[in-house]
């Protein structure tokens, strides 16, 4: 059944998948990853967060982002809602679906 809209958490997941595809194009090698590539990774994350902020009016950050081996691990996103509350992705799902805890 088509809803005709996309939830914010779905948009965040979609952007994470797009970031993973972009990270796959960068030569990552743990601690030996070059400074330029690390800067490029941070730029991709920043651009992605900006895109989500423009479309969904929420700020997404990845405070536990790290490079492990040959991949970038984003960790749990932290989301700031328009009323300045910080929530996790699970809490955002509950808010959007109308579930109470």
């Amino acid at each position: 059944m088509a809803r005709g809209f996309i939830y914010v958490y779905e948009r965040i997941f979609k952007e994470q998948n797009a970031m993973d595809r972009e990270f796959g194009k960068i030569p990552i090698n743990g601690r030996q990853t070059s400074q330029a590539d690390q800067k490029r990774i941070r730029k991709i994350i920043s651009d992605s967060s900006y895109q989500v902020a423009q479309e969904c009016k929420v700020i997404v950050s990845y405070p536990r982002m790290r490079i492990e081996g040959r991949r970038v691990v984003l960790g749990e996103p932290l989301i700031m809602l328009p009323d300045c509350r910080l929530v996790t992705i699970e809490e955002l799902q509950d808010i959007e679906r109308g579930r109470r805890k």
Side-chain angles (χ1 to χ4, degrees), residues 16-94:
Q16 285 178 345
N17 291 335
M19 282 192 291
D20 285 337
R21 284 192 301 275
E22 289 296 317
F23 295 151
K25 298 175 186 175
I26 299 173
I28 299 171
N29 191 14
R31 288 183 172 263
Q32 295 159 355
T33 304
S34 69
Q35 287 291 91
D37 289 335
Q38 290 177 20
K39 197 173 199 179
R40 196 172 304 129
I41 289 167
R42 281 189 241 106
K43 176 86 168 118
I44 291 169
I45 293 171
S46 175
D47 291 345
S48 171
S49 296
Y50 178 77
Q51 189 70 28
V52 171
Q54 289 294 309
E55 292 178 15
C56 303
K57 309 296 188 263
V58 297
I59 298 174
V60 181
S61 68
Y62 298 92
R64 297 188 179 263
M65 187 277 299
R66 61 196 178 279
I67 296 174
E68 286 184 359
R70 300 209 176 264
R71 64 188 203 106
V72 176
V73 178
L74 292 173
E76 185 72 22
L78 194 59
I79 303 150
M80 181 182 279
L81 300 177
D83 63 355
C84 295
R85 282 192 305 168
L86 293 173
V87 296
T88 63
I89 198 80
E90 290 85 18
E91 292 169 341
L92 181 64
Q93 286 177 341
D94 291 341

Side-chain angles (χ1 to χ4, degrees), residues 8-21:
V8 175
Y9 69 88
E10 290 173 336
R11 179 65 181 95
I12 293 169
F13 286 143
K14 184 177 176 183
E15 198 63 35
Q16 285 178 345
N17 291 335
M19 282 192 291
D20 285 337
R21 284 192 301 275

